[in-house]
Amino acid sequence: MQLDEIDKNLLQLIQNDSKQTNKELSNKLGLSVTAVYERIKKLEREGVISGYVALIDKKSVDKAFVTFCSIKLIQHSKDYVMKFEKEVAKLDEVLECYHISGDYDYLLKVLVADMDEFREFMVKKLTSISHIGSTQSAFMINEVKHTTAIKV
C-alpha cells in the first residue's frame, strides 16, 4: 500500500493518541469524518495498523525491573530455532524477543518486579528451555527514551 501525506499524518495522530474520535481527527486533518473513518478502515484492512493498545506504567503494576537477556543457542538448526522461539513466546515475563545477528542469537526484553523475581524467572523458566548454550543479562539503570510511535 502506498501511503500519501494524509495517511502519514493520520498515522502520526493515531500513534500519539489512538483514543481521538474520528471527528477530532477530521478537524486536525481537514477531512470529513467519513473520509477519516474510511482511511482508518483501509489502513487496518491493509495491515498498516495492526492493533490498538493501552500503554501501562511499569511501576504502577510492579514490573519496573527491566532486563535485556542475550541468548546463544547450542546449535542453529531449524528445529532448535523453532523450539526456542515457540517456548520463549509462552513466557509472560518476556515482552519482546528478537532473532539477531552477532555474538548472540536472541535478544529478550524481560519485565519483572525485582532481582529476586528475575532470578526465579531465569532458574525456573528461561534456563529450562533446551538448546540454550549461554545467556548474558544487562539490567536497565534508567529509561532514556521509550516510544512506540514510528515516524512515517
Side-chain angles (χ1 to χ4, degrees):
M1 176 180 177
Q2 188 68 29
L3 300 176
D4 63 17
E5 283 305 309
I6 295 172
D7 290 328
K8 291 177 182 179
N9 290 335
L10 177 58
L11 288 170
Q12 285 301 142
L13 290 168
I14 291 172
Q15 286 184 98
N16 291 336
D17 180 6
S18 65
K19 291 190 74 169
Q20 294 177 81
T21 65
N22 288 345
K23 183 174 173 78
E24 290 171 314
L25 293 166
S26 72
N27 289 334
K28 291 176 182 175
L29 294 168
L31 297 173
S32 71
V33 174
T34 303
V36 168
Y37 174 82
E38 291 300 325
R39 281 181 180 265
I40 290 172
K41 287 298 166 198
K42 183 178 181 185
L43 292 165
E44 290 171 347
R45 268 193 319 276
E46 296 292 325
V48 176
I49 297 174
S50 60
Y52 300 88
V53 299
L55 302 177
I56 298 171
D57 177 64
K58 291 182 284 299
K59 290 179 185 172
S60 297
V61 293
D62 198 25
K63 299 290 181 191
F65 192 82
V66 181
T67 307
F68 298 94
C69 297
S70 300
I71 308 292
K72 190 180 293 190
L73 298 182
I74 296 169
Q75 284 186 15
H76 299 98
S77 69
K78 182 179 178 182
D79 289 344
Y80 281 34
V81 167
M82 299 301 283
K83 181 170 176 24
F84 174 80
E85 291 178 3
K86 184 178 176 185
E87 292 299 314
V88 81
K90 295 177 189 175
L91 301 175
D92 293 334
E93 296 87 350
V94 177
L95 263 62
E96 301 172 40
C97 175
Y98 303 98
H99 194 176
I100 59 173
S101 64
D103 291 338
Y104 288 89
D105 300 312
Y106 289 91
L107 180 64
L108 280 56
K109 182 177 180 181
V110 178
L111 261 66
V112 292
D114 53 27
M115 179 61 85
D116 291 336
E117 192 174 317
F118 178 71
R119 183 180 188 289
E120 185 89 358
F121 164 77
M122 286 294 290
V123 171
K124 292 191 176 174
K125 293 185 179 181
L126 189 62
T127 57
S128 70
I129 297 174
S130 56
H131 313 310
I132 292 179
S134 64
T135 65
Q136 179 179 328
S137 300
F139 308 106
M140 181 186 76
I141 295 170
N142 183 37
E143 189 171 85
V144 177
K145 179 179 180 181
H146 176 221
T147 184
T148 60
I150 299 170
K151 180 75 174 154
V152 290

Coordinates of all heavy atoms in Angstrom, one line a residue, residues 81-137:
V81 N 15.9 -23.7 16.6 CA 15.4 -22.3 16.5 C 13.9 -22.3 16.7 O 13.4 -21.5 17.5 CB 15.8 -21.7 15.1 CG1 15.0 -20.4 14.8 CG2 17.3 -21.4 15.0
M82 N 13.2 -23.1 16.0 CA 11.7 -23.2 16.1 C 11.3 -23.5 17.5 O 10.4 -22.9 18.1 CB 11.2 -24.2 15.1 CG 11.4 -23.8 13.7 SD 10.8 -22.2 13.2 CE 9.1 -22.6 13.0
K83 N 12.0 -24.5 18.1 CA 11.6 -24.9 19.5 C 11.8 -23.8 20.5 O 11.0 -23.5 21.3 CB 12.4 -26.1 19.9 CG 12.0 -26.6 21.3 CD 12.6 -28.0 21.7 CE 12.4 -28.4 23.1 NZ 11.3 -28.0 23.8
F84 N 13.0 -23.1 20.4 CA 13.3 -22.0 21.3 C 12.2 -20.9 21.1 O 11.7 -20.4 22.1 CB 14.7 -21.4 21.0 CG 15.0 -20.2 21.8 CD1 15.3 -20.3 23.1 CD2 14.8 -18.9 21.2 CE1 15.5 -19.1 23.9 CE2 15.0 -17.8 22.0 CZ 15.4 -17.9 23.3
E85 N 11.9 -20.5 19.9 CA 11.0 -19.4 19.6 C 9.6 -19.8 20.2 O 8.9 -18.9 20.7 CB 11.0 -19.1 18.1 CG 12.3 -18.4 17.7 CD 12.3 -18.1 16.2 OE1 11.3 -18.3 15.5 OE2 13.3 -17.6 15.8
K86 N 9.2 -21.0 20.0 CA 7.9 -21.4 20.5 C 7.8 -21.4 22.0 O 6.8 -20.9 22.6 CB 7.6 -22.9 20.0 CG 6.3 -23.4 20.4 CD 6.1 -24.8 19.8 CE 4.7 -25.3 20.3 NZ 4.5 -26.7 19.9
E87 N 8.9 -21.8 22.7 CA 8.9 -21.8 24.1 C 9.0 -20.4 24.7 O 8.3 -20.1 25.7 CB 10.1 -22.7 24.6 CG 9.9 -24.2 24.4 CD 8.7 -24.8 25.0 OE1 8.4 -24.5 26.2 OE2 7.9 -25.5 24.3
V88 N 9.9 -19.6 24.1 CA 10.0 -18.2 24.7 C 8.8 -17.4 24.5 O 8.5 -16.5 25.3 CB 11.3 -17.5 24.1 CG1 11.1 -16.9 22.7 CG2 11.8 -16.5 25.1
A89 N 8.0 -17.7 23.4 CA 6.8 -16.9 23.2 C 5.7 -17.2 24.3 O 4.8 -16.3 24.5 CB 6.2 -17.3 21.8
K90 N 5.9 -18.3 25.0 CA 4.9 -18.6 26.1 C 5.2 -17.9 27.4 O 4.4 -17.9 28.3 CB 5.0 -20.1 26.4 CG 4.5 -21.0 25.2 CD 4.7 -22.4 25.6 CE 4.4 -23.4 24.5 NZ 4.7 -24.8 24.9
L91 N 6.4 -17.3 27.5 CA 6.8 -16.7 28.8 C 6.2 -15.3 29.0 O 6.6 -14.4 28.2 CB 8.4 -16.6 28.9 CG 9.1 -18.0 28.8 CD1 10.6 -17.8 28.7 CD2 8.7 -18.9 29.9
D92 N 5.4 -15.1 30.0 CA 4.7 -13.8 30.2 C 5.7 -12.7 30.5 O 5.5 -11.5 30.2 CB 3.7 -13.9 31.4 CG 2.6 -14.8 31.0 OD1 2.2 -15.0 29.8 OD2 2.0 -15.4 32.0
E93 N 6.8 -13.0 31.1 CA 7.8 -12.0 31.5 C 8.5 -11.4 30.3 O 9.1 -10.3 30.4 CB 8.9 -12.6 32.5 CG 8.3 -13.1 33.8 CD 7.8 -14.6 33.8 OE1 7.7 -15.2 32.7 OE2 7.5 -15.1 34.8
V94 N 8.6 -12.2 29.2 CA 9.2 -11.7 28.0 C 8.3 -10.8 27.2 O 7.3 -11.3 26.7 CB 9.8 -12.9 27.2 CG1 10.4 -12.4 25.9 CG2 10.7 -13.7 28.0
L95 N 8.6 -9.5 27.1 CA 7.8 -8.6 26.3 C 8.2 -8.6 24.9 O 7.3 -8.4 24.0 CB 7.9 -7.2 26.9 CG 6.8 -6.8 27.8 CD1 6.8 -7.6 29.1 CD2 6.9 -5.3 28.2
E96 N 9.5 -8.7 24.6 CA 9.9 -8.7 23.3 C 11.0 -9.8 23.1 O 11.8 -10.0 24.0 CB 10.5 -7.3 22.9 CG 9.5 -6.2 23.1 CD 10.1 -4.8 22.9 OE1 11.0 -4.6 22.1 OE2 9.7 -3.9 23.7
C97 N 11.1 -10.3 21.9 CA 12.1 -11.3 21.6 C 12.5 -11.1 20.1 O 11.7 -11.1 19.2 CB 11.6 -12.7 21.8 SG 12.8 -14.0 21.3
Y98 N 13.8 -10.9 19.9 CA 14.3 -10.7 18.6 C 15.4 -11.7 18.2 O 16.3 -11.9 19.0 CB 14.9 -9.3 18.5 CG 14.0 -8.2 18.8 CD1 14.0 -7.6 20.1 CD2 13.0 -7.7 17.9 CE1 13.1 -6.6 20.4 CE2 12.1 -6.7 18.2 CZ 12.2 -6.2 19.5 OH 11.3 -5.2 19.8
H99 N 15.3 -12.2 17.0 CA 16.4 -13.1 16.5 C 17.4 -12.1 15.9 O 17.0 -11.4 15.0 CB 15.8 -14.0 15.4 CG 16.7 -15.2 15.1 ND1 16.3 -16.1 14.2 CD2 18.0 -15.5 15.4 CE1 17.3 -17.0 14.0 NE2 18.3 -16.6 14.8
I100 N 18.6 -12.1 16.4 CA 19.6 -11.1 16.0 C 20.8 -11.7 15.4 O 21.1 -12.9 15.5 CB 19.9 -10.2 17.2 CG1 20.6 -11.0 18.3 CG2 18.7 -9.4 17.7 CD1 21.1 -10.2 19.5
S101 N 21.7 -10.8 14.8 CA 23.0 -11.3 14.3 C 24.0 -10.9 15.3 O 23.7 -10.1 16.2 CB 23.3 -10.6 12.9 OG 23.4 -9.2 13.1
G102 N 25.2 -11.4 15.2 CA 26.3 -11.0 16.1 C 26.7 -12.2 17.0 O 26.4 -13.4 16.7
D103 N 27.2 -11.9 18.2 CA 27.7 -12.9 19.1 C 26.6 -13.7 19.7 O 26.8 -14.9 20.1 CB 28.5 -12.2 20.2 CG 29.8 -11.7 19.7 OD1 30.3 -12.1 18.7 OD2 30.4 -10.8 20.4
Y104 N 25.4 -13.2 19.8 CA 24.3 -13.9 20.4 C 23.2 -14.1 19.3 O 23.2 -13.4 18.3 CB 23.7 -13.1 21.6 CG 24.6 -13.2 22.8 CD1 25.6 -12.3 23.0 CD2 24.5 -14.3 23.7 CE1 26.5 -12.4 24.1 CE2 25.4 -14.4 24.8 CZ 26.4 -13.5 25.0 OH 27.2 -13.6 26.0
D105 N 22.3 -15.0 19.6 CA 21.3 -15.4 18.6 C 20.0 -14.6 18.9 O 19.2 -14.3 17.9 CB 21.0 -16.9 18.7 CG 22.3 -17.7 18.3 OD1 22.9 -17.3 17.3 OD2 22.6 -18.6 19.1
Y106 N 19.7 -14.4 20.1 CA 18.4 -13.7 20.5 C 18.6 -12.6 21.5 O 19.5 -12.7 22.4 CB 17.4 -14.7 21.1 CG 16.9 -15.7 20.0 CD1 17.5 -16.9 19.8 CD2 15.8 -15.4 19.3 CE1 17.1 -17.8 18.8 CE2 15.3 -16.2 18.3 CZ 16.0 -17.4 18.1 OH 15.5 -18.3 17.1
L107 N 17.7 -11.6 21.5 CA 17.7 -10.6 22.5 C 16.3 -10.5 23.0 O 15.3 -10.4 22.3 CB 18.1 -9.2 21.9 CG 18.1 -8.0 22.9 CD1 19.1 -8.3 24.0 CD2 18.4 -6.7 22.2
L108 N 16.2 -10.7 24.4 CA 14.9 -10.6 25.0 C 14.8 -9.4 25.9 O 15.7 -9.1 26.6 CB 14.7 -11.9 25.9 CG 14.3 -13.2 25.3 CD1 15.3 -13.6 24.2 CD2 14.2 -14.3 26.4
K109 N 13.6 -8.8 26.0 CA 13.3 -7.8 26.9 C 12.4 -8.4 28.0 O 11.3 -8.8 27.6 CB 12.6 -6.6 26.3 CG 12.3 -5.4 27.2 CD 11.7 -4.3 26.5 CE 11.4 -3.1 27.4 NZ 10.8 -2.0 26.7
V110 N 12.9 -8.4 29.2 CA 12.1 -9.1 30.3 C 11.7 -8.1 31.3 O 12.5 -7.2 31.8 CB 13.1 -10.2 30.9 CG1 12.4 -10.9 32.1 CG2 13.5 -11.2 29.9
L111 N 10.5 -8.1 31.8 CA 10.0 -7.3 32.8 C 9.5 -8.1 34.0 O 8.7 -9.0 33.8 CB 8.8 -6.4 32.3 CG 9.0 -5.0 31.9 CD1 9.9 -5.0 30.7 CD2 7.8 -4.3 31.7
V112 N 10.0 -7.8 35.2 CA 9.7 -8.4 36.4 C 9.7 -7.4 37.5 O 10.0 -6.2 37.3 CB 10.6 -9.6 36.8 CG1 10.5 -10.7 35.8 CG2 12.1 -9.1 36.8
A113 N 9.3 -7.8 38.8 CA 9.3 -6.8 39.9 C 10.6 -6.4 40.4 O 10.9 -5.3 40.7 CB 8.4 -7.4 41.0
D114 N 11.6 -7.4 40.5 CA 12.8 -7.1 41.2 C 13.8 -8.2 40.8 O 13.5 -9.2 40.1 CB 12.7 -7.0 42.7 CG 12.0 -8.2 43.3 OD1 12.1 -9.3 42.8 OD2 11.3 -8.0 44.4
M115 N 15.0 -8.1 41.4 CA 16.1 -9.1 41.1 C 15.7 -10.5 41.6 O 16.0 -11.5 40.9 CB 17.4 -8.7 41.9 CG 18.5 -9.7 41.6 SD 19.0 -9.8 39.9 CE 20.1 -8.5 39.8
D116 N 15.0 -10.6 42.7 CA 14.6 -12.0 43.1 C 13.7 -12.6 42.1 O 13.8 -13.8 41.8 CB 13.9 -11.9 44.5 CG 14.8 -11.6 45.6 OD1 16.0 -11.8 45.5 OD2 14.3 -11.0 46.6
E117 N 12.7 -11.9 41.6 CA 11.8 -12.4 40.6 C 12.5 -12.7 39.3 O 12.2 -13.7 38.6 CB 10.7 -11.4 40.3 CG 9.5 -12.0 39.5 CD 8.3 -11.1 39.4 OE1 7.9 -10.5 40.4 OE2 7.8 -11.1 38.3
F118 N 13.5 -11.9 38.9 CA 14.3 -12.2 37.7 C 15.1 -13.5 37.9 O 15.1 -14.3 37.0 CB 15.3 -11.0 37.4 CG 16.1 -11.3 36.2 CD1 15.6 -11.3 35.0 CD2 17.5 -11.6 36.4 CE1 16.4 -11.6 33.8 CE2 18.3 -11.9 35.3 CZ 17.7 -11.9 34.0
R119 N 15.7 -13.7 39.1 CA 16.4 -14.9 39.3 C 15.5 -16.1 39.2 O 15.8 -17.1 38.6 CB 17.1 -14.9 40.7 CG 17.9 -16.2 41.0 CD 18.5 -16.1 42.4 NE 19.4 -17.2 42.6 CZ 19.1 -18.5 42.7 NH1 17.8 -18.9 42.7 NH2 20.0 -19.4 42.9
E120 N 14.3 -16.0 39.8 CA 13.3 -17.1 39.7 C 12.9 -17.4 38.2 O 12.8 -18.5 37.8 CB 12.0 -16.6 40.5 CG 11.0 -17.7 40.5 CD 11.1 -18.6 41.8 OE1 12.1 -18.4 42.5 OE2 10.3 -19.5 41.9
F121 N 12.8 -16.3 37.4 CA 12.5 -16.4 36.0 C 13.6 -17.2 35.3 O 13.4 -18.1 34.5 CB 12.3 -15.0 35.4 CG 12.3 -15.0 33.9 CD1 11.3 -15.5 33.1 CD2 13.4 -14.5 33.2 CE1 11.3 -15.5 31.7 CE2 13.5 -14.5 31.9 CZ 12.5 -15.0 31.1
M122 N 14.8 -16.8 35.6 CA 16.0 -17.4 34.9 C 16.1 -18.9 35.3 O 16.3 -19.7 34.4 CB 17.3 -16.7 35.3 CG 17.5 -15.3 34.7 SD 17.7 -15.4 32.9 CE 19.3 -16.2 32.7
V123 N 16.0 -19.2 36.6 CA 16.2 -20.5 37.1 C 15.1 -21.5 36.7 O 15.4 -22.6 36.2 CB 16.5 -20.5 38.6 CG1 16.5 -21.9 39.2 CG2 17.8 -19.8 38.9
K124 N 13.9 -21.0 36.8 CA 12.8 -21.9 36.6 C 12.1 -21.9 35.3 O 11.5 -22.9 34.9 CB 11.7 -21.6 37.7 CG 12.1 -22.0 39.1 CD 11.0 -21.9 40.0 CE 11.4 -22.4 41.4 NZ 10.4 -22.2 42.4
K125 N 12.3 -20.8 34.5 CA 11.7 -20.7 33.2 C 12.7 -20.7 32.0 O 12.7 -21.6 31.2 CB 10.8 -19.5 33.2 CG 9.6 -19.7 34.1 CD 8.6 -18.5 34.0 CE 7.4 -18.7 34.9 NZ 6.5 -17.6 34.7
L126 N 13.5 -19.6 32.0 CA 14.3 -19.5 30.8 C 15.3 -20.6 30.6 O 15.4 -21.2 29.5 CB 15.0 -18.1 30.9 CG 15.7 -17.7 29.6 CD1 14.8 -17.6 28.4 CD2 16.5 -16.4 29.7
T127 N 16.1 -20.9 31.7 CA 17.1 -21.9 31.5 C 16.5 -23.3 31.4 O 17.2 -24.3 31.1 CB 18.1 -21.9 32.7 OG1 17.4 -22.0 33.9 CG2 18.9 -20.6 32.6
S128 N 15.2 -23.5 31.6 CA 14.6 -24.8 31.4 C 14.3 -25.1 29.9 O 14.0 -26.2 29.5 CB 13.3 -24.9 32.2 OG 12.3 -24.1 31.7
I129 N 14.4 -24.0 29.1 CA 14.3 -24.2 27.6 C 15.5 -24.9 27.1 O 16.7 -24.4 27.3 CB 14.1 -22.9 26.9 CG1 12.8 -22.2 27.4 CG2 14.0 -23.1 25.4 CD1 12.6 -20.8 26.9
S130 N 15.4 -26.0 26.5 CA 16.5 -26.7 26.0 C 17.2 -26.0 24.8 O 16.6 -25.2 24.2 CB 16.1 -28.2 25.6 OG 15.1 -28.1 24.6
H131 N 18.4 -26.4 24.6 CA 19.2 -25.8 23.5 C 19.8 -24.4 23.7 O 20.3 -23.9 22.8 CB 18.4 -25.8 22.1 CG 17.7 -27.1 21.9 ND1 18.3 -28.3 21.9 CD2 16.4 -27.4 21.5 CE1 17.4 -29.3 21.6 NE2 16.3 -28.7 21.4
I132 N 19.7 -23.9 24.9 CA 20.3 -22.6 25.3 C 21.8 -22.9 25.7 O 22.0 -23.7 26.6 CB 19.6 -21.9 26.4 CG1 18.2 -21.4 25.9 CG2 20.5 -20.7 26.8 CD1 17.4 -20.7 27.0
G133 N 22.7 -22.3 25.0 CA 24.1 -22.6 25.3 C 24.6 -21.6 26.3 O 25.3 -22.0 27.3
S134 N 24.2 -20.3 26.2 CA 24.7 -19.4 27.2 C 23.7 -18.1 27.2 O 23.0 -17.9 26.2 CB 26.1 -18.9 27.0 OG 26.2 -18.2 25.7
T135 N 23.7 -17.4 28.3 CA 23.0 -16.2 28.4 C 23.8 -15.1 29.0 O 24.8 -15.4 29.7 CB 21.7 -16.4 29.4 OG1 22.2 -16.6 30.7 CG2 20.8 -17.5 28.9
Q136 N 23.5 -13.9 28.7 CA 24.1 -12.7 29.3 C 23.0 -11.7 29.6 O 22.1 -11.5 28.7 CB 25.1 -12.1 28.4 CG 25.8 -10.9 29.0 CD 26.8 -10.3 28.1 OE1 27.5 -11.0 27.3 NE2 27.0 -9.0 28.1
S137 N 23.0 -11.1 30.8 CA 21.9 -10.2 31.1 C 22.4 -8.8 31.4 O 23.5 -8.7 32.0 CB 21.1 -10.7 32.4 OG 20.6 -12.0 32.1

